[in-house]
């Protein structure tokens, strides 16, 4: 085996190890392994301008972001985007969209919301062009991130539009509102209307859709999350006590599906006690 081939084998092994570290949440070890991995790739390939290097750069950026090293992650992701555009022949590629999404996240975490918004739009455009559809299956996380950037910029109409697109994306992909894309987006729309734009009737409409979809699809984690939001929307719309108590009882049944110590269960119980300190709260 030649030195370059051996170096590439080492890079592959280090990348596998680094992925394991990332999955374990050991980001310091992942960072060290990935830096060695990138060095091995460069030694084996004879260049840093290669798709394999770019993929390892993406992984390194994840490890850096999780450690709060956001400026370095931003620099690395810009390099990854540049390399991928060059070696893949342009931006219309899902791998480019993935790196752009990561870059947008790094920018947003630094409070660079205007730039993050542009990068998320570029990521969606890359996905659209790569897949040939306005509804790429992988667009959900970027639509979510884009909506949150708009919220941070006070651009609530644009945030609402992004979440509506995420709702429709989920329904188009799954054929039902009971899916992991649509329910969270409906929940975010409910919170936006309730807390930001003072449209309580719309908030209740969205929360009811999310709550009913979660129950119908037996998506209990999502029901656990949306339940308190739905209760808040019911109360804000002056719904009868009987309707609120019915929702409380249903939420308690959902809570009981989760073991003691489950973080989502603990949070929902706390929210339930805060929102409804009544007889159904036992």
């Amino acid at each position: 085996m030649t030195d370059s081939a051996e170096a590439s084998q080492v890079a592959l092994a280090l990348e596998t190890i680094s992925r394991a570290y990332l999955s374990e949440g050991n980001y310091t070890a992942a960072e060290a392994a990935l830096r060695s991995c990138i060095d091995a790739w460069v030694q084996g390939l004879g260049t840093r301008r290669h798709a394999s290097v770019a993929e390892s750069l993406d992984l390194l950026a994840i490890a850096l972001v999780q450690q709060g090293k956001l400026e370095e992650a931003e620099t690395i992701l810009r390099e990854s985007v540049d390399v991928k555009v060059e070696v893949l022949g342009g931006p219309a590629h899902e791998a480019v969209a993935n790196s752009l999404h990561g870059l947008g996240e790094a920018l947003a975490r630094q409070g660079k919301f205007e730039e993050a918004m542009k990068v998320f739009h570029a990521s969606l455009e890359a996905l659209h062009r790569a897949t040939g559809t306005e509804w790429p299956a992988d667009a959900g996380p970027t639509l979510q991130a884009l909506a949150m950037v708009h919220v941070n910029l006070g651009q609530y109409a644009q945030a609402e539009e992004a979440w509506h697109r995420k709702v429709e994306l989920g329904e188009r992909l799954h054929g039902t509102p009971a899916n992991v894309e649509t329910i969270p987006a409906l929940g975010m729309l409910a919170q936006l209307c309730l807390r930001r734009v003072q449209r309580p009737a719309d908030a209740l409409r969205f929360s009811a859709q999310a709550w009913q979809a979660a129950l119908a699809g037996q998506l209990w984690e999502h029901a656990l999350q949306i339940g308190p939001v739905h209760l808040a929307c019911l109360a804000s719309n002056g719904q009868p006590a009987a309707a609120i108590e019915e929702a409380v009882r249903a939420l308690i049944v959902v809570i009981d599906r989760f073991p003691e110590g489950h973080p989502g269960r603990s949070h929902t119980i706390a929210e339930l006690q805060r929102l409804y300190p009544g007889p159904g709260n036992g």
Side-chain angles (χ1 to χ4, degrees), residues 20-276:
Y21 283 139
L22 288 172
S23 67
E24 295 167 0
N26 191 344
Y27 302 116
T28 302
E31 178 187 349
L34 284 161
R35 291 191 189 279
S36 297
C37 172
I38 292 165
D39 288 341
W41 275 130
V42 174
Q43 181 182 347
L45 298 167
T47 178
R48 197 173 168 94
R49 312 290 291 180
H50 193 281
S52 295
V53 176
E55 288 300 322
S56 295
L57 288 170
D58 286 348
L59 295 174
L60 176 56
I62 292 171
L64 293 171
V65 165
Q66 292 300 324
Q67 295 176 82
K69 300 176 181 179
L70 299 174
E71 290 184 2
E72 186 179 2
E74 177 188 339
T75 299
I76 284 171
L77 285 161
R78 289 187 188 280
E79 179 184 0
S80 177
V81 170
D82 188 46
V83 170
K84 287 182 179 181
V85 169
E86 177 184 320
V87 302
L88 296 173
H93 200 286
E94 290 172 86
V96 175
N98 181 61
S99 295
L100 284 167
H101 176 90
L103 176 57
E105 292 279 13
L107 291 165
R109 286 179 183 238
Q110 294 176 77
K112 300 176 181 179
F113 298 122
E114 289 281 359
E115 190 173 2
M117 176 183 64
K118 295 175 184 177
V119 170
F120 285 135
H121 277 296
S123 177
L124 290 170
E125 177 63 19
L127 269 182
H128 293 159
R129 292 175 62 188
T131 60
T133 173
E134 285 296 306
W135 303 99
D138 295 333
T142 305
L143 287 168
Q144 171 66 23
L146 177 61
M148 291 307 302
V149 163
H150 283 307
V151 169
N152 279 294
L153 290 168
Q155 299 171 344
Y156 301 136
Q158 293 92 328
E160 186 170 349
E161 179 184 357
W163 275 317
H164 275 299
R165 284 187 62 80
K166 193 167 184 283
V167 167
E168 186 169 355
L169 172 67
E171 292 183 353
R172 283 173 177 266
L173 293 177
H174 299 278
T176 171
N179 67 78
V180 298
E181 296 282 3
T182 294
I183 294 171
L186 286 169
M188 297 304 293
L189 282 166
Q191 293 183 70
L192 180 73
C193 290
L194 184 66
R195 298 170 183 169
R196 301 277 186 169
V197 296
Q198 285 73 54
R199 285 161 38 202
D202 284 338
L204 179 57
R205 176 165 58 88
F206 293 133
S207 72
Q209 290 172 2
W211 174 243
Q212 291 161 10
L215 295 180
Q218 298 185 357
L219 299 171
W220 305 122
E221 288 277 0
H222 291 287
L224 196 66
Q225 294 169 12
I226 195 62
V229 176
H230 184 46
L231 282 175
C233 292
L234 286 167
S236 295
N237 280 270
Q239 295 297 293
I244 295 175
E245 289 178 6
E246 180 182 355
V248 168
R249 287 193 294 270
L251 181 55
I252 290 171
V253 172
V254 172
I255 290 170
D256 286 344
R257 291 180 174 274
F258 296 86
E260 295 284 348
H262 184 283
R265 172 190 165 104
S266 301
H267 173 75
T268 300
I269 289 173
E271 283 295 288
L272 180 55
Q273 291 170 339
R274 181 180 67 83
L275 289 165
Y276 186 71

